[in-house]
Amino acid sequence: MPSATLPLDTRGPFLRADFERLWNDIHHTAEWGAVPDSYGMARLSLSNDDKAVRDWFMTKARKIGCEVSVDAIGNIFAVLPGTNNDLAPIAMGSHLDTQFNGGRFDGILGVLAALEVLRTIKDSGIKTYAPIAAVDWTNEEGAGYVSGCTGSAVWSTNLSLSQGHNNANTIRESTMKEDLLSIGYLGARKADFRLNPLNAHFEVHIEQERRLQDQQKEIGIVTGIQGVRWYTIEVSGEQGHAGSTPMKYRADAHVAAAEIITLVQKLALTHNAVGTVGVIRTEKSSVNKIAGYSEVSIDFRHPEEAVLDEFESSIKAELDRISNDNSKFTFRMTRTWRSPVVHFDDLAMECVRSAAVEEVGSDKVMEMISFAGHDSALVATKTPTAMIFIPCRDGISHSPLEHSTKEQCGHGAQVLLRAVLNYDALLRSHDKNLGI
């Protein structure tokens, strides 16, 4: 590929996304999983509501001439053919699943904007050089499952297919493979980038912070994503009577869990990271019973892998210290998910930058890293990737209050469209120079 510059003669044709059509799609598809009397959504991955919106997406994609396939982890690939279909598609992807009481823009915007790009290209009558794909990645949110970003992790081989299939659904007491079968989305296509490659991957997403809003910018060019690690720690102590067990003989699982929780907070502050204990589980408890078991989750994030490694080592050292001080304690620490620190592709980012400046002007564009995890973090480990951020009101996400305007969503879709066409023009120019 050429260097990360975008001469005027390699920019794609000018087309215009339909802001109104995209806005209508966002609110129409929000009917599947809508929280009653709320602006919120609860469309958990592989639920009946997820099946309904997947069916809708596939129907709309086929209507404009896309070849649609589903892989073995449930990822949907809707591919609009180009003039050189020997090339792997230029993809645009995100997710259609939501949190338990989340919003209607997180992830959903990315898939529906990708569909809008395909519709706009189809309506124009032009043929791109490479095929262009819209992708719905399975279970980005992880709501109800042990881990998230399952579809992109399996496709990129950061997670094996068997691990993905065995991802436990703690609500339905099932596995992901069983859930895929139940809604008819256990596809025949191989879930592997080597057998289903992508030429590049672009994703438009709400920022989920307020940097764009506070600095009065319209488009964020995402340069990378900080690393994410999830853990579950099971604490086994000794159950006992609250009145008759002296303090010096106790192994209170809740006390040990509290020490772990406090350390997560301390390490996050020390390393300028973010650490969260979002789930605490216990055996059936009583006011006058010493807890014999406790379980905590940890979510730790930082832009440097070395800091993530140090955090993990520090937690393990603390578990060793506690058990050395009191041999009645035993611990089981499991890393349930990892999303690596990612730096996005220079050429793909340049295609986004050119499109963003053209759409909103250079004074309304800024570069930033993402502090939230995304499918693009996994996809970027195997193919050139870039992300586009749009503002969301007050930075609120994973909430019914999550909101972006029609114009903001439209700008994101337009930048996505132009970025993909720019990348396609570069592929055409590159192959032409090689005499292909």
Side-chain angles (χ1 to χ4, degrees):
M1 288 296 296
S3 61
T5 56
L6 203 63
L8 284 170
D9 60 355
T10 57
R11 293 178 185 174
F14 186 80
L15 304 176
R16 193 76 188 160
D18 188 330
F19 290 20
E20 189 70 29
R21 181 167 57 185
L22 172 60
W23 189 247
N24 290 339
D25 282 348
I26 289 170
H27 296 292
H28 172 69
T29 58
E31 296 174 10
W32 294 300
V35 176
D37 303 317
S38 167
Y39 197 60
M41 295 283 296
R43 188 165 64 216
L44 304 191
S45 184
L46 307 185
S47 63
N48 288 332
D49 285 321
D50 190 30
K51 170 180 167 51
V53 75
R54 284 165 166 263
D55 291 348
W56 176 90
F57 172 67
M58 291 177 67
T59 299
K60 294 297 183 183
R62 287 187 174 122
K63 187 176 180 180
I64 60 172
C66 290
E67 298 170 0
V68 182
S69 62
V70 181
D71 71 14
I73 200 66
N75 297 319
I76 304 173
F77 298 85
V79 182
L80 189 66
T83 60
N84 184 355
N85 294 304
D86 291 332
L87 291 173
I90 302 169
M92 307 163 287
S94 200
H95 59 96
L96 290 169
D97 62 312
T98 76
Q99 283 287 332
F100 289 103
N101 192 25
R104 58 181 62 190
F105 298 91
D106 172 7
I108 297 165
L109 170 65
V111 178
L112 298 186
L115 178 63
E116 176 56 35
V117 167
L118 297 182
R119 284 169 156 174
T120 301
I121 293 171
K122 181 69 174 181
D123 290 347
S124 74
I126 71 163
K127 275 273 192 179
T128 55
Y129 181 59
I132 311 295
V135 183
D136 173 30
W137 298 106
T138 297
N139 185 44
E140 193 271 355
E141 292 292 356
Y145 288 98
V146 172
S147 61
C149 287
T150 312
S152 54
V154 171
W155 176 88
S156 61
T157 67
N158 283 284
L159 191 71
S160 71
L161 179 60
S162 62
Q163 288 174 312
H165 279 169
N166 290 326
N167 194 355
N169 189 314
T170 57
I171 299 172
R172 296 191 283 266
E173 296 184 347
S174 56
T175 66
M176 181 163 284
K177 185 174 183 179
E178 291 168 343
D179 293 343
L180 286 164
L181 280 167
S182 73
I183 67 166
Y185 274 88
L186 183 66
R189 190 162 196 172
K190 298 293 184 183
D192 189 320
F193 76 96
R194 293 164 294 193
L195 301 172
N196 181 22
L198 300 175
N199 223 311
H201 182 265
F202 295 84
E203 180 175 9
V204 62
H205 205 282
I206 61 171
E207 184 194 358
Q208 300 178 291
E209 290 184 73
R210 52 182 301 151
R211 289 170 293 176
L212 290 171
Q213 176 180 299
D214 289 349
Q215 297 188 44
Q216 298 184 318
K217 306 294 185 181
E218 292 296 332
I219 296 292
I221 301 168
V222 186
T223 58
I225 301 178
Q226 70 176 352
V228 184
R229 296 193 191 178
W230 285 4
Y231 305 90
T232 296
I233 300 178
E234 297 173 74
V235 184
S236 296
E238 185 175 78
Q239 186 174 309
H241 193 289
S244 60
T245 308
M247 297 300 290
K248 65 180 180 180
Y249 295 129
R250 297 187 181 200
D252 189 328
H254 287 353
V255 173
E259 292 186 61
I260 296 165
I261 295 168
T262 302
L263 181 60
V264 171
Q265 175 84 355
K266 179 181 176 181
L267 290 171
L269 291 169
T270 300
H271 294 292
N272 194 27
V274 286
T276 305
V277 175
V279 177
I280 302 172
R281 294 191 179 97
T282 185
E283 60 191 358
K284 288 186 177 180
S285 57
S286 174
V287 173
N288 62 342
K289 185 179 76 172
I290 301 165
Y293 178 84
S294 189
E295 180 183 315
V296 297
S297 71
I298 300 175
D299 177 317
F300 197 80
R301 308 185 187 212
H302 193 273
E304 297 177 21
E305 291 286 352
V307 173
L308 297 171
D309 290 339
E310 186 176 343
F311 169 82
E312 186 171 317
S313 297
S314 297
I315 293 292
K316 289 178 178 177
E318 178 69 0
L319 302 185
D320 289 341
R321 183 197 65 77
I322 295 171
S323 57
N324 287 336
D325 289 347
N326 186 340
S327 61
K328 293 180 181 180
F329 282 118
T330 59
F331 300 93
R332 182 183 178 191
M333 179 174 174
T334 305
R335 186 198 289 177
T336 57
W337 186 47
R338 172 183 176 269
S339 183
V341 174
V342 167
H343 303 285
F344 285 136
D345 180 76
D346 288 340
L347 183 57
M349 285 193 293
E350 185 59 31
C351 289
V352 171
R353 182 178 292 104
S354 175
V357 170
E358 181 179 66
E359 175 66 8
V360 298
S362 58
D363 61 326
K364 295 295 183 181
V365 177
M366 66 180 287
E367 291 189 354
M368 55 177 55
I369 70 165
S370 174
F371 295 117
H374 300 284
D375 287 309
S376 285
L378 285 306
V379 177
T381 64
K382 297 301 185 294
T383 197
T385 298
M387 284 192 74
I388 302 154
F389 274 170
I390 67 163
C392 59
R393 187 170 58 202
D394 297 330
I396 296 172
S397 184
H398 287 191
S399 162
L401 298 178
E402 178 181 284
H403 181 75
S404 296
T405 67
K406 177 171 69 176
E407 290 70 27
Q408 288 166 338
C409 292
H411 288 319
Q414 181 63 26
V415 173
L416 179 67
L417 168 64
R418 291 293 290 149
V420 166
L421 293 176
N422 288 342
Y423 200 89
D424 183 65
L426 285 168
L427 287 177
R428 187 195 302 268
S429 176
H430 178 252
D431 286 359
K432 182 179 179 181
N433 291 337
L434 293 178
I436 297 175

PDB file of all heavy atoms in Angstrom, residues 290-313:
ATOM      1  N   ILE A 290     -20.544 -15.636  59.459  1.00  0.00           N
ATOM      2  CA  ILE A 290     -19.300 -15.225  58.794  1.00  0.00           C
ATOM      3  C   ILE A 290     -19.293 -15.844  57.400  1.00  0.00           C
ATOM      4  O   ILE A 290     -19.530 -17.046  57.241  1.00  0.00           O
ATOM      5  CB  ILE A 290     -18.067 -15.704  59.586  1.00  0.00           C
ATOM      6  CG1 ILE A 290     -18.069 -15.132  61.003  1.00  0.00           C
ATOM      7  CG2 ILE A 290     -16.779 -15.327  58.864  1.00  0.00           C
ATOM      8  CD1 ILE A 290     -17.103 -15.828  61.946  1.00  0.00           C
ATOM      9  N   ALA A 291     -19.026 -15.029  56.400  1.00  0.00           N
ATOM     10  CA  ALA A 291     -19.067 -15.503  55.012  1.00  0.00           C
ATOM     11  C   ALA A 291     -17.897 -16.438  54.725  1.00  0.00           C
ATOM     12  O   ALA A 291     -16.741 -16.119  55.016  1.00  0.00           O
ATOM     13  CB  ALA A 291     -19.040 -14.323  54.052  1.00  0.00           C
ATOM     14  N   GLY A 292     -18.217 -17.558  54.084  1.00  0.00           N
ATOM     15  CA  GLY A 292     -17.174 -18.499  53.683  1.00  0.00           C
ATOM     16  C   GLY A 292     -16.791 -18.376  52.225  1.00  0.00           C
ATOM     17  O   GLY A 292     -15.801 -18.969  51.783  1.00  0.00           O
ATOM     18  N   TYR A 293     -17.566 -17.589  51.461  1.00  0.00           N
ATOM     19  CA  TYR A 293     -17.280 -17.469  50.024  1.00  0.00           C
ATOM     20  C   TYR A 293     -17.686 -16.087  49.536  1.00  0.00           C
ATOM     21  O   TYR A 293     -18.722 -15.545  49.934  1.00  0.00           O
ATOM     22  CB  TYR A 293     -18.048 -18.522  49.221  1.00  0.00           C
ATOM     23  CG  TYR A 293     -17.850 -18.427  47.728  1.00  0.00           C
ATOM     24  CD1 TYR A 293     -16.756 -19.015  47.108  1.00  0.00           C
ATOM     25  CD2 TYR A 293     -18.766 -17.725  46.926  1.00  0.00           C
ATOM     26  CE1 TYR A 293     -16.572 -18.928  45.740  1.00  0.00           C
ATOM     27  CE2 TYR A 293     -18.583 -17.615  45.556  1.00  0.00           C
ATOM     28  CZ  TYR A 293     -17.490 -18.226  44.968  1.00  0.00           C
ATOM     29  OH  TYR A 293     -17.301 -18.125  43.614  1.00  0.00           O
ATOM     30  N   SER A 294     -16.878 -15.530  48.661  1.00  0.00           N
ATOM     31  CA  SER A 294     -17.196 -14.263  48.005  1.00  0.00           C
ATOM     32  C   SER A 294     -16.548 -14.275  46.623  1.00  0.00           C
ATOM     33  O   SER A 294     -15.543 -14.956  46.400  1.00  0.00           O
ATOM     34  CB  SER A 294     -16.671 -13.082  48.826  1.00  0.00           C
ATOM     35  OG  SER A 294     -17.147 -11.861  48.295  1.00  0.00           O
ATOM     36  N   GLU A 295     -17.139 -13.542  45.706  1.00  0.00           N
ATOM     37  CA  GLU A 295     -16.610 -13.468  44.342  1.00  0.00           C
ATOM     38  C   GLU A 295     -16.699 -12.028  43.860  1.00  0.00           C
ATOM     39  O   GLU A 295     -17.734 -11.371  44.036  1.00  0.00           O
ATOM     40  CB  GLU A 295     -17.410 -14.387  43.421  1.00  0.00           C
ATOM     41  CG  GLU A 295     -16.956 -14.395  41.976  1.00  0.00           C
ATOM     42  CD  GLU A 295     -17.844 -15.269  41.105  1.00  0.00           C
ATOM     43  OE1 GLU A 295     -18.175 -16.398  41.535  1.00  0.00           O
ATOM     44  OE2 GLU A 295     -18.226 -14.805  40.010  1.00  0.00           O
ATOM     45  N   VAL A 296     -15.624 -11.535  43.282  1.00  0.00           N
ATOM     46  CA  VAL A 296     -15.614 -10.167  42.767  1.00  0.00           C
ATOM     47  C   VAL A 296     -15.117 -10.163  41.324  1.00  0.00           C
ATOM     48  O   VAL A 296     -14.305 -11.002  40.925  1.00  0.00           O
ATOM     49  CB  VAL A 296     -14.721  -9.223  43.625  1.00  0.00           C
ATOM     50  CG1 VAL A 296     -15.262  -9.105  45.025  1.00  0.00           C
ATOM     51  CG2 VAL A 296     -13.266  -9.681  43.636  1.00  0.00           C
ATOM     52  N   SER A 297     -15.630  -9.220  40.550  1.00  0.00           N
ATOM     53  CA  SER A 297     -15.127  -8.982  39.195  1.00  0.00           C
ATOM     54  C   SER A 297     -14.228  -7.764  39.212  1.00  0.00           C
ATOM     55  O   SER A 297     -14.386  -6.868  40.054  1.00  0.00           O
ATOM     56  CB  SER A 297     -16.283  -8.749  38.224  1.00  0.00           C
ATOM     57  OG  SER A 297     -16.881  -7.479  38.467  1.00  0.00           O
ATOM     58  N   ILE A 298     -13.269  -7.724  38.290  1.00  0.00           N
ATOM     59  CA  ILE A 298     -12.400  -6.551  38.143  1.00  0.00           C
ATOM     60  C   ILE A 298     -12.342  -6.176  36.671  1.00  0.00           C
ATOM     61  O   ILE A 298     -12.169  -7.028  35.805  1.00  0.00           O
ATOM     62  CB  ILE A 298     -10.963  -6.826  38.652  1.00  0.00           C
ATOM     63  CG1 ILE A 298     -10.970  -7.212  40.133  1.00  0.00           C
ATOM     64  CG2 ILE A 298     -10.074  -5.597  38.423  1.00  0.00           C
ATOM     65  CD1 ILE A 298      -9.593  -7.612  40.653  1.00  0.00           C
ATOM     66  N   ASP A 299     -12.482  -4.892  36.403  1.00  0.00           N
ATOM     67  CA  ASP A 299     -12.275  -4.307  35.077  1.00  0.00           C
ATOM     68  C   ASP A 299     -11.168  -3.280  35.237  1.00  0.00           C
ATOM     69  O   ASP A 299     -11.323  -2.299  35.961  1.00  0.00           O
ATOM     70  CB  ASP A 299     -13.581  -3.661  34.598  1.00  0.00           C
ATOM     71  CG  ASP A 299     -13.473  -2.943  33.259  1.00  0.00           C
ATOM     72  OD1 ASP A 299     -12.472  -2.225  33.036  1.00  0.00           O
ATOM     73  OD2 ASP A 299     -14.401  -3.079  32.443  1.00  0.00           O
ATOM     74  N   PHE A 300     -10.025  -3.505  34.576  1.00  0.00           N
ATOM     75  CA  PHE A 300      -8.879  -2.592  34.692  1.00  0.00           C
ATOM     76  C   PHE A 300      -8.446  -2.159  33.304  1.00  0.00           C
ATOM     77  O   PHE A 300      -8.325  -2.997  32.399  1.00  0.00           O
ATOM     78  CB  PHE A 300      -7.720  -3.272  35.416  1.00  0.00           C
ATOM     79  CG  PHE A 300      -6.679  -2.311  35.945  1.00  0.00           C
ATOM     80  CD1 PHE A 300      -6.885  -1.627  37.127  1.00  0.00           C
ATOM     81  CD2 PHE A 300      -5.500  -2.090  35.246  1.00  0.00           C
ATOM     82  CE1 PHE A 300      -5.942  -0.738  37.614  1.00  0.00           C
ATOM     83  CE2 PHE A 300      -4.548  -1.192  35.721  1.00  0.00           C
ATOM     84  CZ  PHE A 300      -4.776  -0.516  36.909  1.00  0.00           C
ATOM     85  N   ARG A 301      -8.194  -0.850  33.127  1.00  0.00           N
ATOM     86  CA  ARG A 301      -7.895  -0.307  31.795  1.00  0.00           C
ATOM     87  C   ARG A 301      -6.763   0.714  31.854  1.00  0.00           C
ATOM     88  O   ARG A 301      -6.707   1.543  32.766  1.00  0.00           O
ATOM     89  CB  ARG A 301      -9.140   0.355  31.193  1.00  0.00           C
ATOM     90  CG  ARG A 301     -10.357  -0.547  31.218  1.00  0.00           C
ATOM     91  CD  ARG A 301     -11.543   0.060  30.519  1.00  0.00           C
ATOM     92  NE  ARG A 301     -12.732  -0.766  30.708  1.00  0.00           N
ATOM     93  CZ  ARG A 301     -13.714  -0.906  29.832  1.00  0.00           C
ATOM     94  NH1 ARG A 301     -13.652  -0.251  28.689  1.00  0.00           N
ATOM     95  NH2 ARG A 301     -14.751  -1.683  30.084  1.00  0.00           N
ATOM     96  N   HIS A 302      -5.896   0.644  30.835  1.00  0.00           N
ATOM     97  CA  HIS A 302      -4.784   1.589  30.730  1.00  0.00           C
ATOM     98  C   HIS A 302      -4.230   1.539  29.303  1.00  0.00           C
ATOM     99  O   HIS A 302      -4.311   0.492  28.640  1.00  0.00           O
ATOM    100  CB  HIS A 302      -3.678   1.235  31.731  1.00  0.00           C
ATOM    101  CG  HIS A 302      -2.662   2.323  31.911  1.00  0.00           C
ATOM    102  ND1 HIS A 302      -1.554   2.434  31.102  1.00  0.00           N
ATOM    103  CD2 HIS A 302      -2.591   3.344  32.797  1.00  0.00           C
ATOM    104  CE1 HIS A 302      -0.835   3.477  31.484  1.00  0.00           C
ATOM    105  NE2 HIS A 302      -1.454   4.052  32.508  1.00  0.00           N
ATOM    106  N   PRO A 303      -3.641   2.649  28.811  1.00  0.00           N
ATOM    107  CA  PRO A 303      -3.109   2.660  27.441  1.00  0.00           C
ATOM    108  C   PRO A 303      -1.778   1.934  27.262  1.00  0.00           C
ATOM    109  O   PRO A 303      -1.254   1.899  26.149  1.00  0.00           O
ATOM    110  CB  PRO A 303      -2.935   4.167  27.143  1.00  0.00           C
ATOM    111  CG  PRO A 303      -3.721   4.884  28.164  1.00  0.00           C
ATOM    112  CD  PRO A 303      -3.697   4.011  29.377  1.00  0.00           C
ATOM    113  N   GLU A 304      -1.201   1.359  28.330  1.00  0.00           N
ATOM    114  CA  GLU A 304       0.090   0.671  28.199  1.00  0.00           C
ATOM    115  C   GLU A 304      -0.025  -0.755  28.735  1.00  0.00           C
ATOM    116  O   GLU A 304      -0.477  -0.977  29.861  1.00  0.00           O
ATOM    117  CB  GLU A 304       1.180   1.419  28.974  1.00  0.00           C
ATOM    118  CG  GLU A 304       1.456   2.819  28.451  1.00  0.00           C
ATOM    119  CD  GLU A 304       2.492   3.549  29.297  1.00  0.00           C
ATOM    120  OE1 GLU A 304       3.260   2.875  30.018  1.00  0.00           O
ATOM    121  OE2 GLU A 304       2.515   4.789  29.240  1.00  0.00           O
ATOM    122  N   GLU A 305       0.433  -1.715  27.929  1.00  0.00           N
ATOM    123  CA  GLU A 305       0.377  -3.118  28.339  1.00  0.00           C
ATOM    124  C   GLU A 305       1.219  -3.375  29.593  1.00  0.00           C
ATOM    125  O   GLU A 305       0.859  -4.210  30.432  1.00  0.00           O
ATOM    126  CB  GLU A 305       0.852  -4.033  27.204  1.00  0.00           C
ATOM    127  CG  GLU A 305      -0.078  -4.099  26.011  1.00  0.00           C
ATOM    128  CD  GLU A 305      -1.340  -4.905  26.260  1.00  0.00           C
ATOM    129  OE1 GLU A 305      -1.451  -5.561  27.323  1.00  0.00           O
ATOM    130  OE2 GLU A 305      -2.236  -4.870  25.391  1.00  0.00           O
ATOM    131  N   ALA A 306       2.354  -2.670  29.722  1.00  0.00           N
ATOM    132  CA  ALA A 306       3.224  -2.885  30.880  1.00  0.00           C
ATOM    133  C   ALA A 306       2.502  -2.566  32.185  1.00  0.00           C
ATOM    134  O   ALA A 306       2.700  -3.257  33.199  1.00  0.00           O
ATOM    135  CB  ALA A 306       4.489  -2.039  30.746  1.00  0.00           C
ATOM    136  N   VAL A 307       1.679  -1.525  32.178  1.00  0.00           N
ATOM    137  CA  VAL A 307       0.928  -1.165  33.382  1.00  0.00           C
ATOM    138  C   VAL A 307      -0.135  -2.223  33.679  1.00  0.00           C
ATOM    139  O   VAL A 307      -0.363  -2.592  34.843  1.00  0.00           O
ATOM    140  CB  VAL A 307       0.283   0.229  33.224  1.00  0.00           C
ATOM    141  CG1 VAL A 307      -0.641   0.540  34.394  1.00  0.00           C
ATOM    142  CG2 VAL A 307       1.368   1.295  33.109  1.00  0.00           C
ATOM    143  N   LEU A 308      -0.783  -2.743  32.628  1.00  0.00           N
ATOM    144  CA  LEU A 308      -1.762  -3.808  32.822  1.00  0.00           C
ATOM    145  C   LEU A 308      -1.113  -5.057  33.402  1.00  0.00           C
ATOM    146  O   LEU A 308      -1.672  -5.715  34.282  1.00  0.00           O
ATOM    147  CB  LEU A 308      -2.446  -4.124  31.489  1.00  0.00           C
ATOM    148  CG  LEU A 308      -3.265  -2.993  30.864  1.00  0.00           C
ATOM    149  CD1 LEU A 308      -3.699  -3.357  29.450  1.00  0.00           C
ATOM    150  CD2 LEU A 308      -4.484  -2.665  31.712  1.00  0.00           C
ATOM    151  N   ASP A 309       0.092  -5.371  32.915  1.00  0.00           N
ATOM    152  CA  ASP A 309       0.832  -6.523  33.448  1.00  0.00           C
ATOM    153  C   ASP A 309       1.182  -6.310  34.920  1.00  0.00           C
ATOM    154  O   ASP A 309       1.068  -7.232  35.748  1.00  0.00           O
ATOM    155  CB  ASP A 309       2.116  -6.753  32.651  1.00  0.00           C
ATOM    156  CG  ASP A 309       1.862  -7.271  31.246  1.00  0.00           C
ATOM    157  OD1 ASP A 309       0.775  -7.820  31.000  1.00  0.00           O
ATOM    158  OD2 ASP A 309       2.757  -7.117  30.387  1.00  0.00           O
ATOM    159  N   GLU A 310       1.614  -5.090  35.241  1.00  0.00           N
ATOM    160  CA  GLU A 310       1.986  -4.783  36.622  1.00  0.00           C
ATOM    161  C   GLU A 310       0.769  -4.873  37.552  1.00  0.00           C
ATOM    162  O   GLU A 310       0.878  -5.351  38.689  1.00  0.00           O
ATOM    163  CB  GLU A 310       2.610  -3.387  36.695  1.00  0.00           C
ATOM    164  CG  GLU A 310       3.153  -3.034  38.074  1.00  0.00           C
ATOM    165  CD  GLU A 310       3.844  -1.686  38.106  1.00  0.00           C
ATOM    166  OE1 GLU A 310       4.197  -1.158  37.030  1.00  0.00           O
ATOM    167  OE2 GLU A 310       4.028  -1.149  39.214  1.00  0.00           O
ATOM    168  N   PHE A 311      -0.372  -4.407  37.064  1.00  0.00           N
ATOM    169  CA  PHE A 311      -1.598  -4.508  37.859  1.00  0.00           C
ATOM    170  C   PHE A 311      -1.911  -5.972  38.178  1.00  0.00           C
ATOM    171  O   PHE A 311      -2.192  -6.333  39.330  1.00  0.00           O
ATOM    172  CB  PHE A 311      -2.763  -3.879  37.101  1.00  0.00           C
ATOM    173  CG  PHE A 311      -4.105  -4.165  37.723  1.00  0.00           C
ATOM    174  CD1 PHE A 311      -4.558  -3.418  38.797  1.00  0.00           C
ATOM    175  CD2 PHE A 311      -4.911  -5.189  37.242  1.00  0.00           C
ATOM    176  CE1 PHE A 311      -5.791  -3.686  39.385  1.00  0.00           C
ATOM    177  CE2 PHE A 311      -6.142  -5.473  37.827  1.00  0.00           C
ATOM    178  CZ  PHE A 311      -6.582  -4.713  38.894  1.00  0.00           C
ATOM    179  N   GLU A 312      -1.855  -6.812  37.161  1.00  0.00           N
ATOM    180  CA  GLU A 312      -2.162  -8.225  37.355  1.00  0.00           C
ATOM    181  C   GLU A 312      -1.204  -8.862  38.360  1.00  0.00           C
ATOM    182  O   GLU A 312      -1.627  -9.626  39.250  1.00  0.00           O
ATOM    183  CB  GLU A 312      -2.092  -8.955  36.011  1.00  0.00           C
ATOM    184  CG  GLU A 312      -2.521 -10.403  36.069  1.00  0.00           C
ATOM    185  CD  GLU A 312      -2.646 -11.020  34.682  1.00  0.00           C
ATOM    186  OE1 GLU A 312      -3.187 -10.362  33.771  1.00  0.00           O
ATOM    187  OE2 GLU A 312      -2.215 -12.176  34.530  1.00  0.00           O
ATOM    188  N   SER A 313       0.078  -8.524  38.243  1.00  0.00           N
ATOM    189  CA  SER A 313       1.067  -9.058  39.178  1.00  0.00           C
ATOM    190  C   SER A 313       0.803  -8.581  40.603  1.00  0.00           C
ATOM    191  O   SER A 313       0.963  -9.345  41.572  1.00  0.00           O
ATOM    192  CB  SER A 313       2.478  -8.647  38.739  1.00  0.00           C
ATOM    193  OG  SER A 313       2.797  -9.199  37.484  1.00  0.00           O
TER     194      SER A 313
END
